[in-house]
Amino acid sequence: MGGEQSLTVEGDSKDLEDRVNNRTLRPVSSTFKEFMTEGWDSQEPQQHALESSSYTPSRLQSLGKRFPGERLVIPAGSLKTRNNDCDYAFRPDTTFAYYTGLGEDFEAGAVLVLNPVANGSTESQQGQTHTATLFVHPRADQSTEDYYRSSQYGEYWVGPRPGLAELSAMTGIHTADIAQLADALGKDVGTEEGAVRLRVVRDADPQITQMVEDTRWENGCDDPDFNTASDGKLHEFAAEERMIKDSYEIAEMRKAVNATKLGFDRILERLPKVADKPRSERMLEGAFNSIARERGNDVGYGTIVASGSHAPVLHWMRNNGTVHNGELLLIDAGVEVNSLYTADITRTFPVGGSFSPLQRKIYETVLSAQQAAFDIAKPGVTYSDIHHTVMRVLAEALHDWGILPVSVEESLSPSGQQHRRWHACGCAHHLGLDVHDCAQARYESYQDAPIEAGMIFTIEPGLYFKENDLLVPPEFRGIGVRIEDDVLMTEQGPEWISAGIPKSVEGVEQWMAQQAARKTSSAE
């Protein structure tokens, strides 16, 4: 890759050199500085309003009404070092993305601030509680010294990037220079009546959180327990607000699912060619991840490609195993589209193209559990209802197979739960900007709350028989099956968003055959 060491200087004068971050030498002579600002054609990034900008005003209004009179601080997060002078690819914090509508890698170091309006102001008379400002780094174009000095923002390094004007056009939110943030946070902060209190999404950016804490301390608002709890309420509310998806979010989720189907297609095209080859799990991972980058922003989470005895490992992401004919292959993967909404799909495939009788028996049991959960899902049911429905189907099958050492009812009782040995995880969760979306919500607003129209969630039962499990017959050991689909709840009932991704035994086998033939035909 083009490293920072590529920019060097000649001569031995210390006046001509500048060490940056104790790693890189760059020229600093006045001649060079002047030379670097001349002879460039303009590269103006052409940015237009994002589709999401039509939806964020109502989100911001709802957020402000929940915290009247308070200043709300929502950072995007900062670049994080991967190794030495290389950063991880940037993804904005989910709360920031939700309230700004920004996706992809927009915008490291930015901070969204909702400032309370004064009583009697024009905004107050119009029913507003807050005005929003997006604090961002200005463009470091060829007219600035940072153009060539800043490897994180300088356009010599990263290419044209949106600045204040462009990000305002994209989001519809007023922008300001990030250098003004500290002063903006401290305005009118205090403990007296009518003073402003601060709330921040604490985990998004440690530097911004520290800035908020310093501002609190300087203005007498230095109760750490109160402040931490206060900040938690902001994060909690933002998570619960995301539970109901608007029409834009639903459309983005459909895009994510469609792209994910293409990723599975590519896996199945490649599968016959890589079977029985060392590290073939990674070959299939690469096939899926290439679609994620071609059709979206990235993968929504680490792709799981788990063959044979790896399939019962719930979060197998090392993906360094060999995919063998005759075994089952469990793939849990999702494409995150540019808006950062992600799918979450799991399919389990027979590597040779056909399920064995035992594989089919286990697979169809899991499929029956998923369908039973879907059948009871409707507005008003809870995640707990879905979970208990799945557990009953699995417990009954384990009992019928002679594996469950107690009765079905004893196992399903709170004091039993023996069946959970083979399904210890949950079987449903919210889905959206995060693969496990809305995780900061209260229990009573999540697991124990009625599912409403507009919610998107997964149903993902499984059976996991570890290869060293001496309580199951030998032929079961090393088999793992999970089937996971994405569901939109509507007023009329649930809809499989991922209905176009085959999952019946016959559908999976036919899908595999079609994709294998396509690969063979294209190779010829």
Side-chain angles (χ1 to χ4, degrees):
M1 63 180 292
E4 294 190 34
Q5 286 73 16
S6 61
L7 187 59
T8 59
V9 296
E10 297 181 356
D12 56 4
S13 171
K14 294 292 184 181
D15 295 334
L16 296 179
E17 299 175 353
D18 175 41
R19 185 172 294 275
V20 178
N21 295 329
N22 204 34
R23 292 194 295 267
T24 306
L25 298 176
R26 291 194 179 94
V28 296
S29 72
S30 58
T31 300
F32 179 81
K33 291 179 183 179
E34 182 177 353
F35 187 66
M36 286 296 284
T37 61
E38 297 174 346
W40 302 104
D41 193 8
S42 175
Q43 280 189 305
E44 298 296 328
Q46 298 297 316
Q47 297 291 349
H48 305 286
L50 299 172
E51 184 181 356
S52 57
S53 66
S54 298
Y55 295 83
T56 51
S58 62
R59 300 175 191 173
L60 292 168
Q61 185 177 30
S62 178
L63 178 62
K65 286 183 176 179
R66 173 61 179 80
F67 301 101
E70 301 186 51
R71 184 167 294 131
L72 311 179
V73 184
I74 304 175
S78 298
L79 291 162
K80 294 179 175 61
T81 300
R82 182 184 185 276
N83 58 295
N84 195 26
D85 57 354
C86 297
D87 295 320
Y88 284 102
F90 179 74
R91 182 198 188 275
D93 177 78
T94 293
T95 305
F96 177 88
Y98 181 70
Y99 286 111
T100 63
L102 290 170
E104 298 182 70
D105 57 354
F106 302 120
E107 170 65 12
V111 182
L112 175 67
V113 176
L114 271 67
N115 198 53
V117 302
N119 290 333
S121 65
T122 301
E123 294 87 353
S124 175
Q125 293 172 358
Q126 294 174 344
Q128 296 184 45
T129 61
H130 291 73
T131 57
T133 300
L134 184 59
F135 290 86
V136 298
H137 288 267
R139 284 187 63 198
D141 62 12
Q142 59 273 11
S143 67
T144 70
E145 202 172 309
D146 275 345
Y147 176 65
Y148 62 92
R149 288 179 56 82
S150 172
S151 61
Q152 294 184 335
Y153 295 101
E155 296 184 9
Y156 188 97
W157 296 95
V158 301
R161 49 171 289 274
L164 276 69
E166 293 81 13
L167 285 167
S168 182
M170 293 165 68
T171 64
I173 299 172
H174 171 70
T175 54
D177 192 325
I178 192 70
Q180 302 170 11
L181 178 64
D183 289 340
L185 293 185
K187 184 179 180 182
D188 300 327
V189 171
T191 58
E192 64 274 15
E193 184 177 354
V196 173
R197 300 298 293 259
L198 294 173
R199 293 185 193 253
V200 62
V201 178
R202 297 186 67 86
D203 297 334
D205 189 326
Q207 292 182 332
I208 300 301
T209 298
Q210 188 59 55
M211 183 184 294
V212 169
E213 293 285 29
D214 291 344
T215 302
R216 286 166 166 167
W217 183 84
E218 292 166 1
N219 293 277
C221 309
D222 53 352
D223 183 337
D225 293 334
F226 176 86
N227 290 335
T228 300
S230 174
D231 295 339
K233 289 295 183 182
L234 171 60
H235 208 180
E236 175 184 280
F237 178 83
E240 294 179 5
E241 283 288 278
R242 296 201 309 275
M243 288 181 173
I244 306 294
K245 270 57 179 181
D246 56 37
S247 59
Y248 167 77
E249 294 177 285
I250 292 170
E252 292 300 298
M253 289 297 300
R254 294 189 191 279
K255 291 178 187 177
V257 169
N258 291 340
T260 299
K261 166 60 163 60
L262 297 178
F264 276 99
D265 284 343
R266 185 166 288 183
I267 285 174
L268 295 181
E269 287 178 13
R270 195 170 188 196
L271 178 57
K273 185 176 180 179
V274 306
D276 297 317
K277 290 186 177 182
R279 294 167 73 90
S280 41
E281 287 180 346
R282 289 205 178 172
M283 297 175 187
L284 298 178
E285 177 189 7
F288 183 88
N289 291 4
S290 65
I291 284 288
R293 290 294 283 170
E294 291 171 24
R295 298 299 183 114
N297 183 58
D298 208 333
V299 293
Y301 53 95
T303 300
I304 296 172
V305 181
S307 60
S309 61
H310 292 159
V313 180
L314 294 180
H315 284 176
W316 174 257
M317 288 184 283
R318 190 168 292 125
N319 298 346
N320 62 356
T322 301
V323 178
H324 292 293
N325 276 296
E327 295 180 337
L328 290 179
L329 171 66
L330 186 157
I331 299 175
D332 187 336
V335 172
E336 175 188 82
V337 291
N338 287 344
S339 59
L340 305 183
Y341 288 85
T342 183
D344 183 8
I345 305 294
T346 305
R347 289 292 182 266
T348 305
F349 302 98
V351 176
S354 299
F355 290 92
S356 72
L358 176 61
Q359 291 170 348
R360 179 172 184 144
K361 178 171 72 172
I362 297 170
Y363 184 94
E364 289 191 325
T365 296
V366 173
L367 187 60
S368 295
Q370 190 196 46
Q371 187 61 45
F374 181 82
D375 290 342
I376 67 103
K378 59 183 178 181
V381 305
T382 67
Y383 279 103
S384 296
D385 295 330
I386 291 174
H387 175 82
H388 292 314
T389 299
V390 166
M391 291 301 112
R392 176 166 290 279
V393 174
L394 298 183
E396 289 175 348
L398 290 165
H399 185 269
D400 291 344
W401 298 339
I403 293 174
L404 195 63
V406 297
S407 71
V408 171
E409 296 307 322
E410 181 178 347
S411 185
L412 291 174
S413 70
S415 61
Q417 300 294 297
Q418 290 87 344
H419 62 284
R420 298 298 299 278
R421 177 185 178 101
W422 300 285
H423 192 302
C425 55
C427 60
H429 59 79
H430 277 286
L431 184 65
L433 281 170
D434 285 335
V435 63
H436 295 142
D437 207 18
C438 313
Q440 292 76 30
R442 296 164 295 170
Y443 178 87
E444 58 269 25
S445 298
Y446 197 136
Q447 293 292 342
D448 222 23
I451 295 175
E452 301 178 43
M455 290 183 174
I456 294 179
F457 55 95
T458 68
I459 301 179
E460 51 174 314
L463 282 171
Y464 310 99
F465 301 104
K466 302 284 190 179
E467 62 179 339
N468 62 337
D469 189 348
L470 301 181
L471 298 188
V472 301
E475 62 270 23
F476 281 76
R477 297 172 193 167
I479 292 179
V481 173
R482 179 164 64 252
I483 305 170
E484 180 178 20
D485 284 276
D486 302 342
V487 179
L488 166 66
M489 184 60 73
T490 73
E491 296 286 356
Q492 293 72 40
E495 174 198 341
W496 291 119
I497 299 179
S498 47
I501 306 178
K503 62 181 174 181
S504 69
V505 166
E506 295 77 11
V508 167
E509 291 178 347
Q510 183 180 16
W511 182 22
M512 294 182 72
Q514 289 173 341
Q515 294 306 119
R518 179 180 177 183
K519 183 64 176 179
T520 301
S521 175
S522 62
E524 294 173 350

